[in-house]
Amino acid sequence: MLESAWGWYIIAYLFLAGAGAGAFISAVACDLLAPDWSKSLARAGSLASGPLVAIGTACLVLDLEAGLWEPWRQIYLVANSSSMITWGVVILSGFIPIAFVYAAALNEITIVGKIAKKYLIYLEIVGAVLAVATAGYTGVLIAVVNGVPFWNTPLMPVLFMASAMSTGLAVAMIGAAIIDISTIRTLSNFALGHVIFLAVEGLVLGLLIFMSLTKSVEAADSAKMLISGALSPYFWILVVIVGLLVPFVMSIVEYHEYGEMPKILVVGADLLVLIGGMSLRAVIIFSGTPPHIV
Amino acid sequence: MPRYGIAIDTTKCIGCQACRVACQNQNNLPVTEEFNRIVERERGTYPAFGKEFVPLQCNHCENAPCQRVCPTGATYTTEEGVVLVNPKTCVGCKYCVQACPYRMRVMDHAKGIVEKCRLCVELVRDGGTPACVSTCPTQVRIFGDLDDPKSEISRFIAEHRAQPLRPDLNTKPKIFYKRS
C-alpha cells in the first residue's frame, strides 16, 4: 500500500459527512413527499444527520496536528477562499447547527424544537442545500488535488454524492427500524431509492475506473491498484460485491416482495451499503498515486 | 526584486548526498527528515545505458498548488518568489502534502506542521547561496536571478534549454534541469 498523508481519520470523515448529509436529504424528502407514512424514516434521518456530520468533523479536527494541540490556530482555517477546506469549514459550520435544529423541530424535542417547528420548511430548504454542499464538497475536496491524477476528475464529486445518498438512506432506514420496527413494511418503498442510488454509484465508479485507465500513467496505476493490484481484494469484495451488487439485488427483491422480506435482510442490506461506502472512501484515498516526476 | 531559481545539471551529479546533509544541517533537521533528496534512475537499455542521479527539492512554483489549497494561508510566496510556510498559522491538515505533485513537502510530526525547502532565504538575503548549492562538490546546482538575463543561471538555462520537471503539470516551477 502506498504512503498517504491522509489516513483513517480523513476516510472516516468523508464517509460520515456523506452519510449524515444523505440522511438529512432522505429525511427532508420523506417529510415533504410522504409525511403520512414515512414519518419514522424522516425522524430517524433527521436524528442521525447532525451527530454523524459532527463526529465526522471531529475526525477532521483529530487529523490536524498543530491545529489540534493549539486549537486557536483553527481560526485561520477560513483564510483562503481558493482552498476547499476553507469552503468546507464554512459549509459544515452552517450545516451542523441546522441539522441539529431540524432534528429537534421534526421530533419536537425541547422548547427549541417547538419554536423551530414553525419554520420547518425554511430549515428543510436551507438544510437541503447545505446537505448537498456537504456531500458534494467531500468529493470536490479530493477532486481538486492535481497532485493525485486519479482523484483529479469531476466524476469524483458525482461518485461521492451518489454514495452519500445511498449511505444516508441506509442510515435513515436502519434508524427507522430501530425507532419503530413495525414500519419495516413501509421501508420496502425506499428500497427503490437504494436501487437507483446504487445503480448510479456503480455506473460512475465503472466510468471512473475506465477513464482512469486511459487518462494518464499515474491514474492508470491507481485504477490498476484497485482492479488487479494490492487493493483489489478490498475493492472487489468490500466495495463491489458487498457494497454494491448484493444490496442492489436485495433491494430489488425487497421492493418486489413488498414487506415480505425478513427484517434481518432489510436491515442487513442497509448495513452492507454502509460497509461499502466506508470501503469506497478507503480504497480511493489509499490508491492515490502522485505523478511520476523524473 | 529578483526572482530566484536553481538550475540543476544532472550529468554532473555523482549522488554523494552532500546537498541533502548540508540542507539537514542548515535547517536543523533530524536524519529522518529531508527537504531535498536524490533519486537514482537507470536510463536506456544495454549496451547504451547509464545511471542518472536527479536531485529533487521544492520547485518554488509560481502557480503553486500547495499555496492554492492551504486553508489557513500559512503557505505564501515572498516577493523573491520563494514559497514558504508560516509555522505560526499552519494547522497540519496535510492538504498541501497531497496537492504537491512533486511530493516535496514534509510533515514534521514533532512540531505538528508542514515544512519544506526554504531556498535558505536567510543566507540568500545576506548575499549568500542556499546550502545545497554551495556545498555541492561537483557544482551541480546554479543559483541566481531568473529575471536577470546576464545571470549565470539565465545563461545556463538558455544555452542548455533546461526544463523544469513535468512542465505539463503547469505549476511553473523555478528549478530547471539539464539532463543530457
Side-chain angles (χ1 to χ4, degrees):
Chain A
M1 208 180 288
L2 246 140
E3 225 181 285
S4 170
W6 284 342
W8 287 105
Y9 279 131
I10 296 293
I11 292 163
Y13 158 70
L14 296 173
F15 169 69
L16 293 168
F24 188 93
I25 297 168
S26 303
V28 171
C30 288
D31 187 54
L32 290 180
L33 302 176
D36 44 343
W37 52 268
S38 63
K39 203 158 185 74
S40 60
L41 199 125
R43 285 182 56 200
S46 68
L47 284 171
S49 165
L52 283 179
V53 180
I55 296 168
T57 307
C59 290
L60 203 56
V61 174
L62 284 172
D63 189 67
L64 298 180
E65 294 184 32
L68 178 66
W69 311 332
E70 297 175 0
W72 56 89
R73 284 181 187 230
Q74 288 172 32
I75 197 80
Y76 302 118
L77 279 171
V78 288
N80 181 4
S81 62
S82 68
S83 171
M84 278 320 296
I85 290 187
T86 291
W87 281 93
V89 170
V90 173
I91 293 168
L92 291 171
S93 312
F95 180 65
I96 295 171
I98 288 190
F100 275 102
V101 174
Y102 180 60
L106 206 61
N107 298 281
E108 295 189 41
I109 302 168
T110 72
I111 183 82
V112 179
K114 284 182 186 121
I115 297 169
K117 198 165 171 58
K118 291 178 198 154
Y119 307 100
L120 198 64
I121 185 72
Y122 300 108
L123 283 172
E124 284 176 335
I125 294 167
V126 177
V129 170
L130 287 170
V132 171
T134 301
Y137 143 79
T138 59
V140 181
L141 177 77
I142 68 167
V144 298
V145 172
N146 49 357
V148 182
F150 181 54
W151 298 348
N152 194 205
T153 154
L155 284 175
M156 205 51 93
V158 182
L159 177 65
F160 275 53
M161 192 72 223
S163 175
M165 287 310 298
S166 59
T167 51
L169 182 59
V171 166
M173 284 172 75
I174 293 171
I178 293 171
I179 289 179
D180 183 2
I181 193 75
S182 65
T183 64
I184 203 112
R185 222 184 132 81
T186 58
L187 288 183
S188 300
N189 291 300
F190 300 101
L192 188 62
H194 268 328
V195 174
I196 294 167
F197 297 136
L198 290 174
V200 172
E201 191 182 334
L203 215 64
V204 178
L205 183 59
L207 266 177
L208 174 71
I209 299 287
F210 279 119
M211 300 295 289
S212 299
L213 285 171
T214 52
K215 184 186 170 194
S216 63
V217 184
E218 301 87 7
D221 282 350
S222 297
K224 282 179 202 155
M225 209 184 291
L226 296 186
I227 56 176
S228 56
L231 294 169
S232 59
Y234 305 99
F235 177 74
W236 289 112
I237 298 171
L238 291 178
V239 179
V240 177
I241 297 175
V242 170
L244 288 170
L245 281 179
V246 174
F248 180 74
V249 173
M250 283 168 87
S251 297
I252 291 177
V253 175
E254 191 183 335
Y255 188 69
H256 190 70
E257 299 279 309
Y258 199 76
E260 299 305 316
M261 205 159 91
K263 289 165 189 168
I264 185 97
L265 288 183
V266 176
V267 176
D270 292 322
L271 284 173
L272 294 186
V273 170
L274 295 183
I275 293 170
M278 179 78 177
S279 307
L280 176 71
R281 267 69 166 191
V283 296
I284 286 177
I285 291 296
F286 288 134
S287 63
T289 314
H292 300 175
I293 52 166
V294 290
Chain B
M1 220 9 115
R3 189 170 62 97
Y4 292 126
I6 293 179
I8 294 178
D9 183 350
T10 65
T11 63
K12 283 184 176 174
C13 182
I14 54 171
C16 72
Q17 309 280 346
C19 50
R20 182 170 66 93
V21 177
C23 172
Q24 289 173 321
N25 206 23
Q26 178 68 25
N27 292 294
N28 280 319
L29 302 181
V31 281
T32 49
E33 205 178 310
E34 55 198 22
F35 292 168
N36 65 11
R37 61 174 189 265
I38 296 176
V39 169
E40 293 183 31
R41 203 178 80 109
E42 280 175 24
R43 278 227 286 217
T45 45
Y46 182 84
F49 76 109
K51 182 165 259 186
E52 184 193 21
F53 298 100
V54 186
L56 301 172
Q57 68 195 89
C58 169
N59 282 284
H60 296 277
C61 304
E62 272 165 44
N63 178 19
C66 53
Q67 185 174 346
R68 192 168 62 243
V69 301
C70 175
T72 65
T75 295
Y76 64 102
T77 307
T78 69
E79 286 183 325
E80 311 111 306
V82 181
V83 178
L84 296 176
V85 180
N86 180 348
K88 291 199 175 71
T89 54
C90 175
V91 290
C93 72
K94 300 171 278 288
Y95 204 7
C96 57
V97 180
Q98 297 283 21
C100 173
Y102 300 96
R103 285 295 185 277
M104 293 317 303
R105 290 185 152 237
V106 199
M107 184 69 216
D108 183 332
H109 293 290
K111 291 185 200 145
I113 57 172
V114 171
E115 295 197 308
K116 62 185 281 299
C117 158
R118 300 172 299 106
L119 221 62
C120 293
V121 272
E122 69 284 0
L123 298 179
V124 168
R125 282 171 186 162
D126 278 351
T129 54
C132 57
V133 177
S134 52
T135 209
C136 178
T138 56
Q139 298 186 340
V140 166
R141 284 173 165 90
I142 303 168
F143 173 80
D145 181 2
L146 295 166
D147 279 347
D148 175 4
K150 293 196 202 84
S151 67
E152 192 190 355
I153 184 173
S154 295
R155 283 184 284 124
F156 180 87
I157 291 170
E159 184 183 341
H160 298 287
R161 305 220 184 287
Q163 289 285 329
L165 296 172
R166 292 295 303 265
D168 58 306
L169 296 171
N170 202 27
T171 61
K172 301 197 176 133
K174 289 201 283 288
I175 309 286
F176 291 79
Y177 289 80
K178 167 185 179 271
R179 298 182 64 177
S180 56

